[in-house]
C-alpha cells in the first residue's frame, strides 16, 4: 500500500485520476463525493492536526495512533483516497497471479466477487467492504464500520467499496447491491495489485 504523507503537517485533497466514470458513477456523485465529502474530511483532519503530536506522520500512522474525530477524519481520507484511485475508464485486467490467489483463498474470481458484494450489501449502516492481505499473504474480506480501515487490524488493504449512502444514493437510490455489482466494471486491477 502506498501511504499518504503530509506536506508541512497538512494533507492535500487527493486528486481524481479521471474526470468521470461513465454511467457507473455519475459526475454528479463524483462532484459531491470527492469535492464535498472527501474535501470536508481533509479539511477537518488538517484542523485537528496542529498540536496533536501526530502532525508530520504518514496517514496510516495517524489512523493507528488516534481516536474520536481525528481517527474518523484520517480514516475517511485514506479510505476515499484508495477508493477513488482504484477506478479507471480503461481498467487494466487482473493478472494470472492475483487470479491464482483469489482461486486459492475464495475458490475463484466469481466466488470472491460474490462474497465481496454480499458483505458490502449486508454491512448494516455506513462503512466499507475491504479486500486485504494478512501478514502471511492470505487474502481476506472484512466489513468495517464508519471510518475503519484494515490497517488497524494489521492487514494490508488492497481494494475497497464505499457503502456509505453518499457513495451511491444519487445514482442508485436504495439499491446498494446494484451499485456494488456495477463497480467491477471500473476496478483497475493493476492499481489493486500495486498495493500488494
Ligand atoms: Fe464516501
Amino acid at each position: 500500500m502506498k501511504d499518504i504523507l503530509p506536506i508541512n503537517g497538512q494533507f492535500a485533497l487527493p486528486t481524481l485520476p479521471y474526470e468521470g466514470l461513465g454511467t457507473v458513477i455519475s459526475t454528479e456523485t463524483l462532484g459531491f463525493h470527492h469535492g464535498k465529502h472527501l474535501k470536508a474530511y481533509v479539511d477537518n483532519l488538517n484542523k485537528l492536526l496542529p498540536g496533536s503530536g501526530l502532525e508530520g506522520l504518514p496517514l496510516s500512522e495517524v489512523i493507528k495512533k488516534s481516536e474520536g474525530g481525528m481517527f474518523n477524519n484520517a480514516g475517511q481520507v485514506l479510505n476515499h483516497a484508495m477508493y477513488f484511485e482504484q477506478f479507471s475508464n480503461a481498467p487494466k485486467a487482473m493478472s494470472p497471479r492475483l487470479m491464482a490467489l483469489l482461486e486459492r483463498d475464495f475458490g475463484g474470481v466469481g466466488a470472491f466477487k460474490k462474497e465481496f458484494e454480499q458483505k458490502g450489501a449486508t454491512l448494516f449502516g455506513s462503512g466499507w467492504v475491504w479486500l486485504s492481505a494478512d501478514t502471511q499473504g492470505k487474502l481476506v474480506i472484512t466489513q468495517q464500520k464508519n471510518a475503519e480501515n484494515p490497517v488497524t487490524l494489521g492487514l494490508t488493504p488492497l481494494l475497497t467499496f464505499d457503502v456509505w449512502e453518499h457513495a451511491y444514493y444519487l445514482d442508485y437510490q436504495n439499491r446498494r447491491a446494484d451499485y456494488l455489482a456495477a463497480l467491477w466494471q471500473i476496478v483497475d486491477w493493476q492499481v489493486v495489485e500495486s498495493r500488494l
Side-chain angles (χ1 to χ4, degrees):
M1 190 194 87
K2 189 171 60 189
D3 214 334
I4 299 177
L5 303 174
I7 299 164
N8 297 324
Q10 299 277 285
F11 289 95
L13 177 66
T15 52
L16 287 179
Y18 38 74
E19 291 191 353
L21 289 166
T23 57
V24 178
I25 300 177
S26 69
T27 51
E28 187 184 23
T29 291
L30 273 181
F32 279 102
H33 201 180
H34 177 267
K36 303 287 185 192
H37 290 277
L38 175 53
K39 185 173 186 303
Y41 296 129
V42 172
D43 291 346
N44 289 338
L45 174 61
N46 284 335
K47 278 185 208 141
L48 293 168
L49 277 169
S52 66
L54 302 177
E55 59 270 55
L57 294 178
L59 190 52
S60 68
E61 290 301 312
V62 176
I63 292 168
K64 288 179 198 166
K65 292 179 162 69
S66 64
E67 55 187 21
M70 178 87 86
F71 173 84
N72 287 333
N73 286 287
Q76 287 296 73
V77 174
L78 183 58
N79 297 351
H80 284 94
M82 296 188 71
Y83 173 80
F84 287 123
E85 182 199 43
Q86 75 200 357
F87 297 135
S88 169
N89 286 305
K92 310 280 191 320
M94 192 182 289
S95 73
R97 174 183 171 233
L98 183 58
M99 266 184 216
L101 294 176
L102 293 172
E103 173 79 35
R104 182 194 68 187
D105 295 333
F106 299 102
V109 175
F112 155 70
K113 287 182 176 175
K114 191 172 167 207
E115 184 178 338
F116 197 83
E117 286 179 40
Q118 190 266 339
K119 288 204 165 140
T122 57
L123 193 156
F124 187 78
S126 296
W128 302 78
V129 58
W130 292 89
L131 173 70
S132 301
D134 72 11
T135 53
Q136 308 300 312
K138 180 178 163 40
L139 301 185
V140 292
I141 299 173
T142 55
Q143 289 175 311
Q144 301 198 250
K145 286 187 173 299
N146 301 321
E148 291 172 3
N149 183 292
V151 294
T152 58
L153 305 173
L155 300 169
T156 299
L158 306 177
L159 168 75
T160 190
F161 286 179
D162 186 345
V163 297
W164 283 60
E165 284 188 346
H166 67 220
Y168 60 87
Y169 217 83
L170 292 174
D171 299 332
Y172 298 86
Q173 293 77 48
N174 61 323
R175 292 174 286 112
R176 188 195 283 188
D178 291 351
Y179 152 77
L180 291 167
L183 287 182
W184 299 119
Q185 297 172 51
I186 54 170
V187 171
D188 189 312
W189 291 102
Q190 198 172 80
V191 174
V192 172
E193 292 182 50
S194 74
R195 297 167 175 168
L196 252 177

